Amino acid sequence: MQTLLSTAYLPPVQWFSRLASNGCVTVEMCESYHKQTYRNRCVIDAPNGAVALTIPVEKPEDGSRRVKDMRISDHDDWRNKHWHALESSYFNTPFFEYYQDDFRPFYEKKYEFLTDFNEALIHKCMELIGIQCKIRHTDSFVDPDEINPSETEDLRFLISPKIPYEKDTRFICKPYYQVFAERHGFQGNLSIIDLLFNMGPESILILRDSCVS
């Protein structure tokens, strides 16, 4: 079965669980851009609870709304703010010191397009976790009404900060160590970076156990 995903900024564990359980996934590149989604937002664990980090984007000059045409804005010094948030939230996790040099360069280099930045981060996470999965891209929009559910698992709109992850019947939110769990309990389905900084090499085991065949 083919798995169809949206692009995402440091996607949640739910998104990455499909990469860990598939040899190949397809990322939608030709859909219209959707606000307030994981396409430009990730959610991390902070001292006072879950916090969303959002990448500002600019509308293309030609009026295109395709996600692959969305450019990253330099507004509000977001790169420094995101890196500072990651550093302050995860400095005391078991693996932040080990992985920080892998991620810091992404917040020092300017990427023009959102999808390029997202994919570069995704591939870095795959490399560090040890996920062997090929990522393909759509070359035209895949109409949901034309999808055969027995052939394609369409997760473009199901994996969303607006939809409880429990709606995904193939995803099991496996608890793992989190540095702030004693303060506010386990926070489920956060960004993959939360899992990686807290669990390091064991991240792959959590991900494999998080997806029902």
Side-chain angles (χ1 to χ4, degrees):
M1 177 180 286
Q2 176 184 226
T3 297
L4 185 59
L5 298 163
S6 65
T7 185
Y9 169 41
L10 288 173
V13 172
Q14 181 187 11
W15 195 101
F16 255 89
S17 72
R18 292 325 203 271
L19 267 64
S21 60
N22 286 280
C24 180
V25 299
T26 302
V27 173
E28 176 65 76
M29 301 291 281
C30 300
E31 65 178 355
S32 294
Y33 176 72
H34 297 269
K35 296 180 179 180
Q36 298 181 348
T37 68
Y38 290 125
R39 288 159 182 80
N40 70 323
R41 174 186 299 188
C42 70
V43 181
I44 65 171
D45 195 16
N48 294 319
V51 171
L53 303 179
T54 302
I55 300 174
V57 295
E58 297 177 346
K59 293 181 180 179
E61 294 181 358
D62 63 2
S64 171
R65 293 291 298 170
R66 290 187 304 179
V67 68
K68 70 176 182 179
D69 296 327
M70 300 305 293
R71 286 178 164 81
I72 295 174
S73 171
D74 289 329
H75 178 70
D76 203 28
D77 194 28
W78 72 268
R79 293 177 181 84
N80 284 332
K81 289 183 177 179
H82 283 208
W83 180 249
H84 177 71
L86 293 173
E87 194 171 37
S88 61
S89 295
Y90 294 110
F91 183 78
N92 291 319
T93 56
F95 294 95
F96 179 80
E97 184 177 6
Y98 187 75
Y99 294 126
Q100 64 176 320
D101 290 341
D102 290 293
F103 289 100
R104 186 187 293 110
F106 288 97
Y107 297 91
E108 297 173 341
K109 174 184 176 181
K110 289 187 177 182
Y111 283 78
E112 183 176 3
F113 292 100
L114 176 66
T115 52
D116 290 342
F117 182 62
N118 286 350
E119 186 140 323
L121 276 169
I122 288 167
H123 279 287
K124 175 54 67 175
C125 290
M126 290 172 63
E127 172 193 331
L128 297 175
I129 295 170
I131 294 176
Q132 302 295 322
C133 180
K134 184 175 181 180
I135 297 179
R136 296 174 176 166
H137 299 144
T138 60
D139 52 19
S140 61
F141 177 64
V142 179
D143 189 333
D145 294 333
E146 297 178 2
I147 288 178
N148 183 339
S150 65
E151 297 177 353
T152 300
E153 180 185 35
D154 185 1
L155 300 174
R156 292 172 295 176
F157 307 104
L158 180 62
I159 299 180
S160 167
K162 299 178 181 179
I163 299 177
Y165 61 77
E166 292 89 352
K167 296 287 187 180
D168 181 357
T169 57
R170 291 192 61 212
F171 176 65
I172 302 173
C173 189
K174 290 283 185 178
Y176 55 85
Y177 171 82
Q178 289 177 333
V179 71
F180 299 121
E182 290 188 1
R183 294 192 190 183
H184 46 243
F186 176 74
Q187 303 291 301
N189 202 34
L190 297 181
S191 167
I192 187 63
I193 210 165
D194 181 82
L195 176 63
L196 188 58
F197 285 154
N198 281 298
M199 298 299 293
E202 294 185 43
S203 298
I204 187 65
L205 303 179
I206 299 293
L207 290 170
R208 287 172 177 169
D209 287 343
S210 296
C211 189
V212 178
S213 300

